[in-house]
Amino acid sequence: MAVKKMKIGLCGLGTVGSGVFNVLTRNAELIAARAGCEVTVTHIGARRDNPNADTSNVKVSRDIFAVVNDDEIDVVVELIGGTTVAKDLVLQALSNGKHVVTANKALIAECGNEVFEVARNNNVTVAYEAAVAGGIPIIKALREGLAANRIEWLAGIINGTGNFILTEMGDKGRAFDDVLKEAQELGYAEADPTFDVEGIDAAHKLVILASLAFAMPLEVEKIFTEGISKLETRDVDYAAELGYRIKHLGIARKTDAGVELRVHPTLIPKDRLIANVDGVMNAVMVWGDAVGPTLYNGPGAGSEPTASAVIADVVDLARLLSAADDSEGKGITCVPTMGFVPEAIKEQPVLPIEAVETAFYLRLTAEDKPGVMSDITQIFSAAGISIEALVQKEPTTGEATVPVIMITNKTREGNMLAAIEQIASLPVVQGEVVRIRVESLG
Ligand code: HSE
């Protein structure tokens, strides 16, 4: 006997919550046909109504815990975000024997190990497709579609707000604060937008992807994190002149020495597909030993794109529950929450950023006189760093200094930092030496 109706408790009716409610209502028939049962929101927990969702026919509680303690509810959809109330709510739902679907990347990244264990102990599931890369089914791709592969590396634009800001600044010359404000109005940005611009949101997402790819526990504190707030428009322009675009990437790579886990602005050759993913779109490249390079692209934030991923999890659960009911709870297999059986997940050494090898873009301000270039190149030469491209711009009228832009070959970051320190201390070099990592993603 199949489950005839799955009752959803929706906690949070903001940008994503209203999207989930509206899509479930609008596509109810289609979703029922896919899920094998009716999927209905029967109880909403929200501090206030949302004019974008007509919830007049649904029970609404101002106390969100009323939803997780409602005996009728089969699945709790947590869309309030954060790691305080949301964590208590999710743990309570799991302890009450309810499955949880969440879009909360901070919760999964920071508390996932604990939350998943509570779920296992209560024989229920936590599903989190919407936590990474918005509407792109990247969790399903890594856990299921690529299950045959040894993942070698993955790299992604995984913060929609950041990509929106970079695109608008680069293409239209708009000011950072102005674009960030628009991203907030469009519902892309986090409640605390520093999470977007300082790379914290991307780090939350990267640790989830890396755990799924490499069977490691979730340890977000091990990620090297640099945001986009210090990027200057002139570097975006100089990079373009040299044939690159700057994207904020999350990169996880398995090397013999350890795992690289890093989030930072990155120059990418402009002919790579991922270099041309603009606006709120996200993209994740995954390289598997069997499949080779794969690329997943789609909206990384926003109401209905994120709802699309949330509802995909809801439909998976409905199918699972229908199957459990059909087989009287026997013989059910399900996809492990982190893509590997828990016993296979092992701590692995994570490389400090100083040990990571990349190429670099450098910009410095030097006095416009003979011998300067030779001083700089000698330092690089002694450090074993070769220069792939070097551009000395024209001095601005009246200025005695010129901007010098370089692309180097690959070197360990520690080596580059030591060379930069020497260069910055040359009397002919003024101010700081700007450095941005370069990845070929070939
Ligand atoms: N603030 C996030 C972003 C929302 O801009 O990508 C989606 O996780």
Side-chain angles (χ1 to χ4, degrees), residues 103 105 130-134 158-162 187-190 196 201 205 280 282 300-302 306:
K105 50 269 158 130
V132 183
I158 45 180
N159 181 267
T161 303
Y188 300 158
E190 295 303 297
D196 296 295
D201 179 74
K205 293 164 177 168
V280 75
N282 279 191
T306 312

Short mmCIF file of all heavy atoms in Angstrom, two decimals, residues 103 105 130-134 158-162 187-190 196 201 205 280 282 300-302 306, ligand 1:
data_model
loop_
_atom_site.label_atom_id
_atom_site.label_comp_id
_atom_site.label_asym_id
_atom_site.label_seq_id
_atom_site.Cartn_x
_atom_site.Cartn_y
_atom_site.Cartn_z
N ALA A 103 17.79 23.79 3.59
CA ALA A 103 18.65 24.52 2.64
C ALA A 103 19.79 25.18 3.40
O ALA A 103 20.49 26.02 2.87
CB ALA A 103 17.83 25.58 1.92
N LYS A 105 23.07 25.66 4.70
CA LYS A 105 24.48 25.24 4.51
C LYS A 105 25.32 25.45 5.75
O LYS A 105 26.21 24.65 6.06
CB LYS A 105 25.11 25.91 3.30
CG LYS A 105 24.96 27.42 3.22
CD LYS A 105 23.73 27.82 2.46
CE LYS A 105 23.28 29.22 2.80
NZ LYS A 105 23.05 30.02 1.63
N ALA A 130 19.47 21.67 -1.43
CA ALA A 130 19.41 23.13 -1.64
C ALA A 130 20.51 23.88 -0.90
O ALA A 130 20.66 25.08 -1.07
CB ALA A 130 18.05 23.65 -1.19
N ALA A 131 21.28 23.16 -0.08
CA ALA A 131 22.32 23.86 0.69
C ALA A 131 23.49 24.30 -0.18
O ALA A 131 24.24 25.20 0.19
CB ALA A 131 22.81 22.97 1.83
N VAL A 132 23.69 23.64 -1.31
CA VAL A 132 24.85 23.97 -2.15
C VAL A 132 24.40 24.28 -3.58
O VAL A 132 23.70 23.49 -4.20
CB VAL A 132 25.87 22.80 -2.20
CG1 VAL A 132 27.10 23.20 -3.01
CG2 VAL A 132 26.27 22.38 -0.79
N ALA A 133 24.82 25.44 -4.06
CA ALA A 133 24.62 25.82 -5.46
C ALA A 133 23.15 25.90 -5.85
O ALA A 133 22.79 25.59 -7.00
CB ALA A 133 25.39 24.88 -6.39
N GLY A 134 22.31 26.37 -4.94
CA GLY A 134 20.90 26.65 -5.24
C GLY A 134 20.20 25.55 -5.99
O GLY A 134 20.06 24.44 -5.50
N ILE A 158 30.22 29.16 -6.16
CA ILE A 158 29.16 28.61 -5.30
C ILE A 158 28.54 29.67 -4.40
O ILE A 158 27.88 29.34 -3.43
CB ILE A 158 29.68 27.40 -4.47
CG1 ILE A 158 31.05 27.69 -3.85
CG2 ILE A 158 29.73 26.15 -5.34
CD1 ILE A 158 31.61 26.54 -3.02
N ASN A 159 28.75 30.93 -4.75
CA ASN A 159 28.01 31.99 -4.07
C ASN A 159 27.42 32.91 -5.13
O ASN A 159 28.15 33.59 -5.85
CB ASN A 159 28.91 32.76 -3.10
CG ASN A 159 28.14 33.84 -2.37
OD1 ASN A 159 28.09 34.99 -2.79
ND2 ASN A 159 27.46 33.47 -1.30
N GLY A 160 26.10 32.89 -5.23
CA GLY A 160 25.42 33.66 -6.27
C GLY A 160 25.57 35.15 -6.07
O GLY A 160 25.77 35.90 -7.04
N THR A 161 25.49 35.58 -4.82
CA THR A 161 25.62 37.02 -4.53
C THR A 161 26.98 37.53 -4.99
O THR A 161 27.08 38.57 -5.66
CB THR A 161 25.46 37.26 -3.01
OG1 THR A 161 24.19 36.73 -2.62
CG2 THR A 161 25.53 38.72 -2.66
N GLY A 162 28.02 36.81 -4.64
CA GLY A 162 29.38 37.21 -5.01
C GLY A 162 29.54 37.25 -6.52
O GLY A 162 30.15 38.20 -7.06
N GLY A 187 16.83 38.95 -2.75
CA GLY A 187 16.75 37.76 -1.89
C GLY A 187 17.90 36.79 -2.11
O GLY A 187 17.81 35.63 -1.71
N TYR A 188 18.99 37.23 -2.72
CA TYR A 188 20.14 36.34 -2.94
C TYR A 188 21.05 36.28 -1.71
O TYR A 188 21.63 35.24 -1.41
CB TYR A 188 21.02 36.85 -4.10
CG TYR A 188 20.36 36.95 -5.45
CD1 TYR A 188 20.88 37.79 -6.43
CD2 TYR A 188 19.23 36.19 -5.77
CE1 TYR A 188 20.30 37.89 -7.68
CE2 TYR A 188 18.64 36.30 -7.02
CZ TYR A 188 19.18 37.15 -7.97
OH TYR A 188 18.61 37.27 -9.21
N ALA A 189 21.20 37.44 -1.05
CA ALA A 189 22.22 37.55 -0.01
C ALA A 189 21.78 36.89 1.30
O ALA A 189 20.59 36.74 1.57
CB ALA A 189 22.55 39.02 0.23
N GLU A 190 22.78 36.50 2.09
CA GLU A 190 22.52 35.95 3.42
C GLU A 190 22.00 37.05 4.34
O GLU A 190 22.19 38.25 4.07
CB GLU A 190 23.82 35.40 4.00
CG GLU A 190 24.39 34.22 3.25
CD GLU A 190 23.41 33.08 3.17
OE1 GLU A 190 23.02 32.53 4.20
OE2 GLU A 190 22.99 32.73 2.05
N ASP A 196 28.47 36.35 2.44
CA ASP A 196 28.62 36.25 0.98
C ASP A 196 29.94 36.88 0.53
O ASP A 196 30.71 36.26 -0.19
CB ASP A 196 27.46 36.97 0.27
CG ASP A 196 26.12 36.31 0.56
OD1 ASP A 196 25.95 35.16 0.16
OD2 ASP A 196 25.26 36.94 1.20
N ASP A 201 30.05 31.89 3.26
CA ASP A 201 28.99 31.07 2.66
C ASP A 201 29.59 30.06 1.67
O ASP A 201 29.22 28.88 1.67
CB ASP A 201 27.98 31.98 1.95
CG ASP A 201 26.87 31.21 1.28
OD1 ASP A 201 25.98 30.70 2.00
OD2 ASP A 201 26.89 31.09 0.04
N LYS A 205 29.68 25.82 1.77
CA LYS A 205 29.28 24.94 0.66
C LYS A 205 30.44 24.06 0.23
O LYS A 205 30.25 22.87 -0.09
CB LYS A 205 28.77 25.79 -0.50
CG LYS A 205 27.46 26.51 -0.16
CD LYS A 205 27.18 27.62 -1.13
CE LYS A 205 25.84 28.29 -0.83
NZ LYS A 205 25.66 29.54 -1.57
N VAL A 280 23.83 35.71 -11.02
CA VAL A 280 23.56 34.86 -9.85
C VAL A 280 23.79 33.37 -10.16
O VAL A 280 23.65 32.52 -9.28
CB VAL A 280 22.12 35.12 -9.34
CG1 VAL A 280 21.10 34.48 -10.27
CG2 VAL A 280 21.93 34.64 -7.92
N ASN A 282 25.51 29.86 -10.67
CA ASN A 282 26.62 29.10 -10.07
C ASN A 282 27.06 28.06 -11.08
O ASN A 282 26.33 27.75 -12.03
CB ASN A 282 26.17 28.35 -8.82
CG ASN A 282 26.12 29.20 -7.56
OD1 ASN A 282 25.98 28.68 -6.46
ND2 ASN A 282 26.21 30.51 -7.69
N GLY A 300 22.19 29.94 -8.60
CA GLY A 300 22.76 29.58 -7.31
C GLY A 300 22.00 30.12 -6.12
O GLY A 300 22.32 29.81 -4.98
N ALA A 301 21.01 30.95 -6.36
CA ALA A 301 20.23 31.53 -5.26
C ALA A 301 18.91 32.00 -5.84
O ALA A 301 18.69 31.98 -7.05
CB ALA A 301 20.99 32.71 -4.64
N GLY A 302 18.04 32.43 -4.93
CA GLY A 302 16.73 32.93 -5.38
C GLY A 302 15.61 32.01 -4.93
O GLY A 302 15.84 30.85 -4.59
N THR A 306 15.91 27.82 -5.60
CA THR A 306 16.27 27.08 -4.39
C THR A 306 15.13 26.14 -4.00
O THR A 306 15.35 25.00 -3.56
CB THR A 306 16.63 28.05 -3.25
OG1 THR A 306 17.53 29.03 -3.76
CG2 THR A 306 17.28 27.33 -2.08
N1 HSE B 1 23.59 33.84 -0.23
C1 HSE B 1 23.67 32.64 -0.99
C2 HSE B 1 24.27 32.97 -2.34
C3 HSE B 1 22.30 32.05 -1.14
O1 HSE B 1 24.27 34.13 -2.72
O2 HSE B 1 24.76 32.07 -3.01
C4 HSE B 1 22.29 30.67 -1.73
O3 HSE B 1 22.96 29.76 -0.91
#
